[in-house]
Short mmCIF file of all heavy atoms in Angstrom, two decimals:
data_model
loop_
_atom_site.label_atom_id
_atom_site.label_comp_id
_atom_site.label_asym_id
_atom_site.label_seq_id
_atom_site.Cartn_x
_atom_site.Cartn_y
_atom_site.Cartn_z
N GLU A 1 106.56 169.40 64.59
CA GLU A 1 105.96 168.32 65.35
C GLU A 1 106.41 166.96 64.81
O GLU A 1 106.70 166.06 65.57
CB GLU A 1 104.45 168.46 65.31
CG GLU A 1 103.76 167.48 66.19
CD GLU A 1 102.27 167.73 66.25
OE1 GLU A 1 101.87 168.90 66.39
OE2 GLU A 1 101.55 166.76 66.14
N ARG A 2 106.49 166.84 63.51
CA ARG A 2 106.92 165.58 62.89
C ARG A 2 108.34 165.20 63.32
O ARG A 2 108.68 164.03 63.42
CB ARG A 2 106.84 165.75 61.37
CG ARG A 2 107.28 164.58 60.59
CD ARG A 2 107.07 164.84 59.12
NE ARG A 2 107.99 164.00 58.37
CZ ARG A 2 108.29 164.19 57.13
NH1 ARG A 2 107.79 165.20 56.46
NH2 ARG A 2 109.13 163.39 56.53
N PHE A 3 109.15 166.19 63.58
CA PHE A 3 110.52 166.00 64.00
C PHE A 3 110.60 165.09 65.22
O PHE A 3 111.52 164.29 65.37
CB PHE A 3 111.14 167.36 64.33
CG PHE A 3 112.61 167.34 64.58
CD1 PHE A 3 113.51 167.55 63.55
CD2 PHE A 3 113.11 167.13 65.86
CE1 PHE A 3 114.89 167.56 63.78
CE2 PHE A 3 114.47 167.14 66.11
CZ PHE A 3 115.35 167.35 65.06
N TRP A 4 109.63 165.19 66.12
CA TRP A 4 109.66 164.50 67.41
C TRP A 4 109.02 163.11 67.38
O TRP A 4 109.09 162.40 68.37
CB TRP A 4 108.97 165.35 68.47
CG TRP A 4 109.67 166.65 68.63
CD1 TRP A 4 109.25 167.87 68.19
CD2 TRP A 4 110.94 166.88 69.24
NE1 TRP A 4 110.17 168.82 68.49
CE2 TRP A 4 111.23 168.24 69.13
CE3 TRP A 4 111.86 166.04 69.87
CZ2 TRP A 4 112.38 168.79 69.64
CZ3 TRP A 4 113.02 166.60 70.36
CH2 TRP A 4 113.27 167.96 70.24
N LEU A 5 108.41 162.74 66.29
CA LEU A 5 107.78 161.42 66.20
C LEU A 5 108.83 160.33 66.08
O LEU A 5 109.81 160.48 65.35
CB LEU A 5 106.82 161.35 65.02
CG LEU A 5 105.64 162.32 65.06
CD1 LEU A 5 104.82 162.21 63.79
CD2 LEU A 5 104.78 162.04 66.29
N ASP A 6 108.61 159.24 66.78
CA ASP A 6 109.56 158.14 66.79
C ASP A 6 109.75 157.54 65.40
O ASP A 6 110.84 157.11 65.04
CB ASP A 6 109.11 157.07 67.79
CG ASP A 6 110.23 156.13 68.18
OD1 ASP A 6 111.37 156.60 68.32
OD2 ASP A 6 109.95 154.93 68.36
N GLN A 7 108.69 157.51 64.61
CA GLN A 7 108.78 156.89 63.28
C GLN A 7 109.44 157.78 62.22
O GLN A 7 109.69 157.34 61.10
CB GLN A 7 107.41 156.40 62.81
CG GLN A 7 106.42 157.51 62.51
CD GLN A 7 105.51 157.82 63.68
OE1 GLN A 7 105.85 157.58 64.83
NE2 GLN A 7 104.36 158.40 63.42
N THR A 8 109.74 159.04 62.56
CA THR A 8 110.42 159.92 61.61
C THR A 8 111.87 159.47 61.46
O THR A 8 112.59 159.36 62.45
CB THR A 8 110.38 161.37 62.10
OG1 THR A 8 109.00 161.78 62.24
CG2 THR A 8 111.10 162.30 61.14
N PRO A 9 112.29 159.17 60.23
CA PRO A 9 113.66 158.73 60.02
C PRO A 9 114.69 159.82 60.37
O PRO A 9 114.41 161.02 60.19
CB PRO A 9 113.74 158.42 58.53
CG PRO A 9 112.32 158.36 58.04
CD PRO A 9 111.52 159.20 58.99
N ASP A 10 115.84 159.41 60.87
CA ASP A 10 116.90 160.38 61.18
C ASP A 10 117.30 161.19 59.95
O ASP A 10 117.69 162.36 60.08
CB ASP A 10 118.12 159.68 61.76
CG ASP A 10 118.06 159.56 63.27
OD1 ASP A 10 117.20 160.22 63.89
OD2 ASP A 10 118.87 158.84 63.84
N THR A 11 117.21 160.60 58.77
CA THR A 11 117.56 161.35 57.56
C THR A 11 116.67 162.57 57.39
O THR A 11 117.14 163.62 56.96
CB THR A 11 117.46 160.45 56.30
OG1 THR A 11 116.15 159.85 56.26
CG2 THR A 11 118.51 159.37 56.31
N VAL A 12 115.41 162.46 57.76
CA VAL A 12 114.49 163.61 57.67
C VAL A 12 114.88 164.66 58.70
O VAL A 12 114.93 165.85 58.39
CB VAL A 12 113.02 163.15 57.86
CG1 VAL A 12 112.08 164.34 57.99
CG2 VAL A 12 112.60 162.24 56.74
N ARG A 13 115.20 164.22 59.91
CA ARG A 13 115.64 165.18 60.94
C ARG A 13 116.91 165.90 60.51
O ARG A 13 117.05 167.10 60.66
CB ARG A 13 115.87 164.46 62.27
CG ARG A 13 114.62 163.94 62.92
CD ARG A 13 114.91 163.36 64.29
NE ARG A 13 113.72 162.73 64.82
CZ ARG A 13 113.50 161.43 64.80
NH1 ARG A 13 114.40 160.60 64.32
NH2 ARG A 13 112.38 160.93 65.29
N GLN A 14 117.84 165.14 59.96
CA GLN A 14 119.11 165.72 59.52
C GLN A 14 118.90 166.71 58.38
O GLN A 14 119.56 167.76 58.31
CB GLN A 14 120.07 164.62 59.12
CG GLN A 14 120.52 163.79 60.31
CD GLN A 14 121.24 162.52 59.93
OE1 GLN A 14 121.45 162.22 58.76
NE2 GLN A 14 121.62 161.74 60.93
N GLU A 15 117.97 166.41 57.48
CA GLU A 15 117.66 167.34 56.38
C GLU A 15 117.13 168.67 56.95
O GLU A 15 117.51 169.75 56.49
CB GLU A 15 116.62 166.74 55.44
CG GLU A 15 117.16 165.63 54.56
CD GLU A 15 116.05 164.95 53.75
OE1 GLU A 15 114.98 165.55 53.57
OE2 GLU A 15 116.27 163.81 53.33
N LEU A 16 116.25 168.59 57.94
CA LEU A 16 115.71 169.80 58.57
C LEU A 16 116.80 170.58 59.28
O LEU A 16 116.84 171.82 59.21
CB LEU A 16 114.59 169.43 59.55
CG LEU A 16 113.30 168.93 58.91
CD1 LEU A 16 112.37 168.36 59.97
CD2 LEU A 16 112.62 170.05 58.15
N ILE A 17 117.70 169.89 59.95
CA ILE A 17 118.82 170.52 60.65
C ILE A 17 119.68 171.29 59.65
O ILE A 17 120.07 172.43 59.89
CB ILE A 17 119.65 169.48 61.43
CG1 ILE A 17 118.86 169.01 62.66
CG2 ILE A 17 121.01 170.02 61.83
CD1 ILE A 17 119.42 167.78 63.34
N ARG A 18 119.97 170.67 58.53
CA ARG A 18 120.79 171.34 57.49
C ARG A 18 120.03 172.51 56.87
O ARG A 18 120.59 173.60 56.69
CB ARG A 18 121.16 170.33 56.39
CG ARG A 18 122.28 169.43 56.75
CD ARG A 18 122.75 168.64 55.51
NE ARG A 18 123.52 167.50 55.92
CZ ARG A 18 123.02 166.28 56.14
NH1 ARG A 18 121.76 166.03 55.94
NH2 ARG A 18 123.80 165.30 56.54
N LYS A 19 118.78 172.26 56.51
CA LYS A 19 117.96 173.28 55.82
C LYS A 19 117.87 174.57 56.63
O LYS A 19 117.96 175.67 56.09
CB LYS A 19 116.57 172.73 55.56
CG LYS A 19 115.63 173.71 54.87
CD LYS A 19 114.28 173.08 54.60
CE LYS A 19 113.36 174.06 53.92
NZ LYS A 19 112.06 173.47 53.60
N TYR A 20 117.70 174.45 57.94
CA TYR A 20 117.51 175.62 58.79
C TYR A 20 118.77 176.03 59.54
O TYR A 20 118.73 176.94 60.37
CB TYR A 20 116.35 175.39 59.75
CG TYR A 20 115.03 175.27 59.01
CD1 TYR A 20 114.43 174.03 58.82
CD2 TYR A 20 114.42 176.38 58.46
CE1 TYR A 20 113.24 173.91 58.11
CE2 TYR A 20 113.24 176.29 57.76
CZ TYR A 20 112.65 175.04 57.58
OH TYR A 20 111.48 174.94 56.87
N GLY A 21 119.89 175.38 59.27
CA GLY A 21 121.16 175.76 59.89
C GLY A 21 121.14 175.66 61.41
O GLY A 21 121.70 176.51 62.10
N ILE A 22 120.52 174.62 61.92
CA ILE A 22 120.39 174.44 63.36
C ILE A 22 121.71 173.98 63.95
O ILE A 22 122.32 173.04 63.46
CB ILE A 22 119.26 173.44 63.67
CG1 ILE A 22 117.93 173.99 63.17
CG2 ILE A 22 119.21 173.12 65.16
CD1 ILE A 22 116.80 173.00 63.19
N ASP A 23 122.17 174.64 65.00
CA ASP A 23 123.40 174.27 65.69
C ASP A 23 123.13 173.59 67.03
O ASP A 23 123.95 172.82 67.52
CB ASP A 23 124.28 175.51 65.93
CG ASP A 23 124.80 176.08 64.63
OD1 ASP A 23 125.22 175.30 63.75
OD2 ASP A 23 124.79 177.32 64.48
N TYR A 24 121.99 173.93 67.63
CA TYR A 24 121.62 173.37 68.94
C TYR A 24 120.16 172.96 68.93
O TYR A 24 119.33 173.63 68.30
CB TYR A 24 121.86 174.38 70.07
CG TYR A 24 123.31 174.70 70.26
CD1 TYR A 24 123.90 175.76 69.60
CD2 TYR A 24 124.11 173.91 71.10
CE1 TYR A 24 125.25 176.05 69.76
CE2 TYR A 24 125.45 174.20 71.26
CZ TYR A 24 126.01 175.27 70.59
OH TYR A 24 127.33 175.53 70.75
N LEU A 25 119.87 171.92 69.66
CA LEU A 25 118.50 171.45 69.82
C LEU A 25 118.16 171.56 71.31
O LEU A 25 118.85 170.98 72.15
CB LEU A 25 118.39 170.00 69.36
CG LEU A 25 117.02 169.36 69.35
CD1 LEU A 25 116.12 170.06 68.34
CD2 LEU A 25 117.14 167.90 69.00
N VAL A 26 117.14 172.36 71.63
CA VAL A 26 116.72 172.55 73.00
C VAL A 26 115.46 171.71 73.23
O VAL A 26 114.47 171.88 72.52
CB VAL A 26 116.43 174.03 73.31
CG1 VAL A 26 115.95 174.21 74.74
CG2 VAL A 26 117.66 174.88 73.05
N VAL A 27 115.53 170.82 74.20
CA VAL A 27 114.41 169.95 74.51
C VAL A 27 113.90 170.31 75.89
O VAL A 27 114.64 170.23 76.87
CB VAL A 27 114.84 168.47 74.47
CG1 VAL A 27 113.67 167.56 74.78
CG2 VAL A 27 115.45 168.11 73.13
N GLU A 28 112.65 170.72 75.94
CA GLU A 28 112.02 171.05 77.22
C GLU A 28 110.89 170.07 77.46
O GLU A 28 109.94 169.99 76.69
CB GLU A 28 111.48 172.48 77.20
CG GLU A 28 110.87 172.88 78.51
CD GLU A 28 110.40 174.33 78.54
OE1 GLU A 28 110.47 175.01 77.51
OE2 GLU A 28 109.95 174.77 79.59
N THR A 29 110.99 169.33 78.53
CA THR A 29 109.98 168.35 78.86
C THR A 29 108.96 168.96 79.81
O THR A 29 109.32 169.45 80.87
CB THR A 29 110.63 167.11 79.53
OG1 THR A 29 111.64 166.63 78.66
CG2 THR A 29 109.61 166.03 79.77
N GLN A 30 107.73 168.95 79.40
CA GLN A 30 106.63 169.43 80.23
C GLN A 30 106.09 168.24 81.02
O GLN A 30 106.19 167.10 80.60
CB GLN A 30 105.52 170.02 79.37
CG GLN A 30 105.97 171.15 78.47
CD GLN A 30 106.40 172.37 79.24
OE1 GLN A 30 105.83 172.71 80.27
NE2 GLN A 30 107.42 173.05 78.77
N ASP A 31 105.49 168.51 82.15
CA ASP A 31 104.94 167.44 82.97
C ASP A 31 103.87 166.64 82.24
O ASP A 31 103.74 165.44 82.44
CB ASP A 31 104.33 168.02 84.26
CG ASP A 31 105.40 168.56 85.18
OD1 ASP A 31 106.55 168.09 85.10
OD2 ASP A 31 105.10 169.47 85.98
N ASN A 32 103.12 167.28 81.37
CA ASN A 32 102.03 166.59 80.68
C ASN A 32 102.38 166.23 79.24
O ASN A 32 101.51 165.88 78.46
CB ASN A 32 100.77 167.46 80.70
CG ASN A 32 100.98 168.79 80.00
OD1 ASN A 32 102.11 169.17 79.67
ND2 ASN A 32 99.90 169.51 79.76
N GLN A 33 103.63 166.31 78.88
CA GLN A 33 104.06 166.09 77.49
C GLN A 33 104.81 164.77 77.38
O GLN A 33 105.64 164.44 78.20
CB GLN A 33 104.97 167.23 77.05
CG GLN A 33 105.57 167.06 75.69
CD GLN A 33 106.60 168.14 75.39
OE1 GLN A 33 107.10 168.79 76.29
NE2 GLN A 33 106.92 168.32 74.16
N THR A 34 104.49 164.04 76.34
CA THR A 34 105.21 162.81 76.06
C THR A 34 105.90 162.97 74.72
O THR A 34 105.26 163.21 73.71
CB THR A 34 104.24 161.60 75.99
OG1 THR A 34 103.55 161.51 77.23
CG2 THR A 34 104.99 160.32 75.72
N VAL A 35 107.22 162.86 74.72
CA VAL A 35 108.00 162.93 73.48
C VAL A 35 108.33 161.50 73.08
O VAL A 35 108.88 160.74 73.87
CB VAL A 35 109.29 163.75 73.69
CG1 VAL A 35 110.14 163.73 72.44
CG2 VAL A 35 108.94 165.18 74.08
N GLU A 36 107.95 161.14 71.86
CA GLU A 36 108.18 159.77 71.41
C GLU A 36 109.66 159.48 71.15
O GLU A 36 110.15 158.45 71.54
CB GLU A 36 107.39 159.51 70.12
CG GLU A 36 105.90 159.51 70.28
CD GLU A 36 105.20 159.20 68.98
OE1 GLU A 36 105.82 158.68 68.05
OE2 GLU A 36 103.99 159.48 68.91
N TRP A 37 110.33 160.41 70.49
CA TRP A 37 111.71 160.21 70.07
C TRP A 37 112.65 160.72 71.15
O TRP A 37 112.48 161.81 71.69
CB TRP A 37 111.96 160.94 68.76
CG TRP A 37 113.37 160.93 68.30
CD1 TRP A 37 114.11 159.84 67.96
CD2 TRP A 37 114.23 162.06 68.12
NE1 TRP A 37 115.37 160.22 67.58
CE2 TRP A 37 115.47 161.58 67.67
CE3 TRP A 37 114.07 163.42 68.31
CZ2 TRP A 37 116.53 162.42 67.38
CZ3 TRP A 37 115.12 164.25 68.02
CH2 TRP A 37 116.34 163.74 67.57
N ASN A 38 113.65 159.94 71.48
CA ASN A 38 114.63 160.33 72.48
C ASN A 38 115.89 160.83 71.77
O ASN A 38 116.65 160.03 71.21
CB ASN A 38 114.96 159.13 73.37
CG ASN A 38 115.94 159.47 74.46
OD1 ASN A 38 116.49 160.57 74.51
ND2 ASN A 38 116.16 158.53 75.35
N PRO A 39 116.15 162.14 71.78
CA PRO A 39 117.30 162.70 71.06
C PRO A 39 118.66 162.15 71.53
O PRO A 39 119.62 162.14 70.77
CB PRO A 39 117.22 164.19 71.34
CG PRO A 39 115.86 164.44 71.83
CD PRO A 39 115.37 163.17 72.43
N SER A 40 118.74 161.67 72.76
CA SER A 40 120.03 161.16 73.25
C SER A 40 120.45 159.88 72.55
O SER A 40 121.59 159.46 72.67
CB SER A 40 119.97 160.94 74.76
OG SER A 40 119.04 159.93 75.08
N THR A 41 119.56 159.29 71.75
CA THR A 41 119.92 158.08 71.00
C THR A 41 120.54 158.39 69.64
O THR A 41 121.03 157.49 68.97
CB THR A 41 118.68 157.18 70.78
OG1 THR A 41 117.72 157.90 69.99
CG2 THR A 41 118.06 156.76 72.11
N ALA A 42 120.52 159.66 69.25
CA ALA A 42 121.05 160.06 67.94
C ALA A 42 122.55 160.35 68.05
O ALA A 42 122.97 161.20 68.84
CB ALA A 42 120.32 161.28 67.42
N ALA A 43 123.34 159.68 67.24
CA ALA A 43 124.81 159.85 67.28
C ALA A 43 125.24 161.26 66.90
O ALA A 43 126.30 161.72 67.33
CB ALA A 43 125.46 158.84 66.34
N TYR A 44 124.43 161.98 66.13
CA TYR A 44 124.80 163.32 65.67
C TYR A 44 124.41 164.42 66.67
O TYR A 44 124.61 165.61 66.42
CB TYR A 44 124.17 163.61 64.30
CG TYR A 44 122.68 163.44 64.25
CD1 TYR A 44 121.83 164.50 64.50
CD2 TYR A 44 122.12 162.20 63.97
CE1 TYR A 44 120.47 164.35 64.48
CE2 TYR A 44 120.75 162.03 63.93
CZ TYR A 44 119.93 163.10 64.18
OH TYR A 44 118.57 162.93 64.16
N LEU A 45 123.85 164.03 67.82
CA LEU A 45 123.51 165.00 68.86
C LEU A 45 124.34 164.72 70.11
O LEU A 45 124.38 163.60 70.60
CB LEU A 45 122.02 164.90 69.22
CG LEU A 45 121.04 165.24 68.10
CD1 LEU A 45 119.61 164.99 68.57
CD2 LEU A 45 121.21 166.67 67.64
N GLN A 46 125.01 165.74 70.59
CA GLN A 46 125.85 165.62 71.79
C GLN A 46 125.23 166.47 72.90
O GLN A 46 125.08 167.68 72.75
CB GLN A 46 127.28 166.10 71.50
CG GLN A 46 127.95 165.37 70.36
CD GLN A 46 128.04 163.88 70.62
OE1 GLN A 46 128.41 163.46 71.71
NE2 GLN A 46 127.70 163.09 69.62
N GLN A 47 124.86 165.83 73.98
CA GLN A 47 124.27 166.55 75.11
C GLN A 47 125.30 167.49 75.71
O GLN A 47 126.40 167.07 76.07
CB GLN A 47 123.79 165.56 76.15
CG GLN A 47 123.11 166.21 77.32
CD GLN A 47 122.59 165.17 78.30
OE1 GLN A 47 121.82 164.30 77.93
NE2 GLN A 47 123.04 165.27 79.54
N VAL A 48 124.94 168.77 75.82
CA VAL A 48 125.87 169.76 76.37
C VAL A 48 125.36 170.43 77.64
O VAL A 48 126.12 171.10 78.33
CB VAL A 48 126.24 170.84 75.31
CG1 VAL A 48 127.01 170.23 74.16
CG2 VAL A 48 125.00 171.58 74.81
N TYR A 49 124.07 170.24 77.94
CA TYR A 49 123.52 170.88 79.14
C TYR A 49 122.25 170.17 79.57
O TYR A 49 121.43 169.78 78.74
CB TYR A 49 123.19 172.35 78.86
CG TYR A 49 122.47 173.04 79.99
CD1 TYR A 49 123.15 173.50 81.11
CD2 TYR A 49 121.09 173.21 79.95
CE1 TYR A 49 122.49 174.12 82.15
CE2 TYR A 49 120.41 173.84 80.99
CZ TYR A 49 121.11 174.28 82.09
OH TYR A 49 120.45 174.89 83.13
N VAL A 50 122.09 170.02 80.89
CA VAL A 50 120.83 169.58 81.49
C VAL A 50 120.61 170.44 82.72
O VAL A 50 121.52 170.57 83.55
CB VAL A 50 120.87 168.09 81.91
CG1 VAL A 50 119.56 167.69 82.57
CG2 VAL A 50 121.15 167.19 80.74
N ASP A 51 119.43 171.04 82.84
CA ASP A 51 119.19 171.87 84.03
C ASP A 51 119.01 170.98 85.26
O ASP A 51 118.84 169.77 85.16
CB ASP A 51 117.97 172.79 83.82
CG ASP A 51 116.65 172.07 83.88
OD1 ASP A 51 116.61 170.85 83.60
OD2 ASP A 51 115.63 172.72 84.18
N ASP A 52 119.07 171.60 86.43
CA ASP A 52 119.01 170.86 87.70
C ASP A 52 117.72 170.06 87.86
O ASP A 52 117.72 169.00 88.48
CB ASP A 52 119.16 171.82 88.88
CG ASP A 52 120.57 172.40 88.96
OD1 ASP A 52 121.51 171.78 88.43
OD2 ASP A 52 120.72 173.49 89.55
N ALA A 53 116.63 170.56 87.31
CA ALA A 53 115.35 169.87 87.43
C ALA A 53 115.21 168.76 86.39
O ALA A 53 114.27 167.97 86.45
CB ALA A 53 114.20 170.87 87.29
N GLY A 54 116.12 168.72 85.43
CA GLY A 54 116.05 167.69 84.38
C GLY A 54 114.96 167.93 83.35
O GLY A 54 114.58 167.02 82.63
N LYS A 55 114.47 169.16 83.28
CA LYS A 55 113.39 169.47 82.35
C LYS A 55 113.88 170.07 81.03
O LYS A 55 113.17 170.03 80.05
CB LYS A 55 112.36 170.38 82.99
CG LYS A 55 111.62 169.70 84.12
CD LYS A 55 110.43 170.49 84.56
CE LYS A 55 109.69 169.70 85.62
NZ LYS A 55 108.28 170.03 85.66
N ILE A 56 115.07 170.65 81.07
CA ILE A 56 115.62 171.26 79.84
C ILE A 56 116.96 170.60 79.53
O ILE A 56 117.84 170.55 80.38
CB ILE A 56 115.81 172.78 80.00
CG1 ILE A 56 114.45 173.45 80.24
CG2 ILE A 56 116.50 173.37 78.77
CD1 ILE A 56 114.55 174.91 80.56
N THR A 57 117.07 170.12 78.32
CA THR A 57 118.31 169.52 77.84
C THR A 57 118.68 170.18 76.53
O THR A 57 117.83 170.42 75.68
CB THR A 57 118.14 168.00 77.62
OG1 THR A 57 117.63 167.39 78.80
CG2 THR A 57 119.46 167.35 77.24
N ILE A 58 119.96 170.50 76.38
CA ILE A 58 120.44 171.11 75.14
C ILE A 58 121.45 170.15 74.50
O ILE A 58 122.34 169.64 75.17
CB ILE A 58 121.10 172.49 75.40
CG1 ILE A 58 120.07 173.43 76.03
CG2 ILE A 58 121.65 173.07 74.09
CD1 ILE A 58 120.64 174.79 76.42
N PHE A 59 121.25 169.94 73.20
CA PHE A 59 122.13 169.08 72.41
C PHE A 59 122.81 169.92 71.34
O PHE A 59 122.16 170.74 70.68
CB PHE A 59 121.34 167.97 71.72
CG PHE A 59 120.68 167.00 72.66
CD1 PHE A 59 119.40 167.23 73.14
CD2 PHE A 59 121.35 165.85 73.05
CE1 PHE A 59 118.79 166.33 74.01
CE2 PHE A 59 120.74 164.94 73.92
CZ PHE A 59 119.46 165.19 74.39
N ALA A 60 124.10 169.73 71.16
CA ALA A 60 124.84 170.36 70.06
C ALA A 60 124.78 169.42 68.87
O ALA A 60 124.84 168.20 69.03
CB ALA A 60 126.29 170.62 70.46
N ILE A 61 124.67 169.99 67.69
CA ILE A 61 124.64 169.19 66.48
C ILE A 61 126.09 168.90 66.07
O ILE A 61 126.89 169.81 65.92
CB ILE A 61 123.96 169.95 65.33
CG1 ILE A 61 122.57 170.48 65.74
CG2 ILE A 61 123.90 169.12 64.07
CD1 ILE A 61 121.57 169.45 66.12
N ASP A 62 126.39 167.64 65.88
CA ASP A 62 127.72 167.21 65.43
C ASP A 62 127.62 166.84 63.95
O ASP A 62 127.30 165.72 63.59
CB ASP A 62 128.21 166.02 66.25
CG ASP A 62 129.63 165.62 65.91
OD1 ASP A 62 130.20 166.14 64.92
OD2 ASP A 62 130.18 164.77 66.64
N ARG A 63 127.86 167.85 63.08
CA ARG A 63 127.73 167.61 61.64
C ARG A 63 128.76 166.62 61.10
O ARG A 63 128.58 166.02 60.06
CB ARG A 63 127.81 168.93 60.91
CG ARG A 63 126.53 169.74 61.08
CD ARG A 63 126.54 171.01 60.24
NE ARG A 63 125.25 171.66 60.26
CZ ARG A 63 124.72 172.29 61.27
NH1 ARG A 63 125.38 172.37 62.41
NH2 ARG A 63 123.54 172.85 61.20
N GLY A 64 129.86 166.44 61.83
CA GLY A 64 130.88 165.49 61.41
C GLY A 64 130.40 164.06 61.46
O GLY A 64 130.95 163.18 60.79
N VAL A 65 129.35 163.80 62.22
CA VAL A 65 128.79 162.46 62.34
C VAL A 65 127.64 162.26 61.35
O VAL A 65 127.30 161.15 61.00
CB VAL A 65 128.29 162.22 63.79
CG1 VAL A 65 127.66 160.86 63.95
CG2 VAL A 65 129.45 162.36 64.77
N MET A 66 127.06 163.37 60.89
CA MET A 66 125.94 163.27 59.94
C MET A 66 126.45 162.89 58.56
O MET A 66 127.47 163.42 58.12
CB MET A 66 125.19 164.60 59.88
CG MET A 66 124.46 164.93 61.16
SD MET A 66 123.74 166.61 61.24
CE MET A 66 122.81 166.73 59.76
N PRO A 67 125.73 161.98 57.89
CA PRO A 67 126.14 161.63 56.51
C PRO A 67 125.95 162.76 55.53
O PRO A 67 125.24 163.68 55.76
CB PRO A 67 125.22 160.45 56.17
CG PRO A 67 124.14 160.45 57.16
CD PRO A 67 124.57 161.29 58.33
#
């Protein structure tokens, strides 16, 4: 849950990505859900898929951009 908070530094997100060997981030937006942090603003995430309804977005992790 902390991962999605706007005030969470990218360094913390990147540490979690490394720690758990995450290659893709799947974001599913629910009608009643508000996500504070917008993953499309992170240089280390590359959008690779959006479903037709715009509710599911998949981002690939670009480790070459991560410090």
Side-chain angles (χ1 to χ4, degrees):
E1 186 174 315
R2 179 176 156 197
F3 189 92
W4 299 105
L5 297 177
D6 199 37
Q7 67 266 24
T8 301
D10 270 348
T11 54
V12 171
R13 291 186 187 100
Q14 292 168 1
E15 287 173 21
L16 289 169
I17 288 168
R18 282 190 198 92
K19 179 178 180 178
Y20 294 104
I22 297 169
D23 293 317
Y24 293 91
L25 184 65
V26 178
V27 180
E28 182 177 4
T29 305
Q30 303 294 324
D31 291 334
N32 61 348
Q33 175 187 19
T34 302
V35 175
E36 292 182 17
W37 174 63
N38 182 353
S40 64
T41 63
Y44 56 91
L45 297 176
Q46 303 301 314
Q47 183 178 303
V48 294
Y49 173 79
V50 178
D51 74 335
D52 291 337
K55 293 192 176 207
I56 298 173
T57 306
I58 300 175
F59 296 89
I61 308 298
D62 185 352
R63 286 185 172 72
V65 178
M66 292 171 52

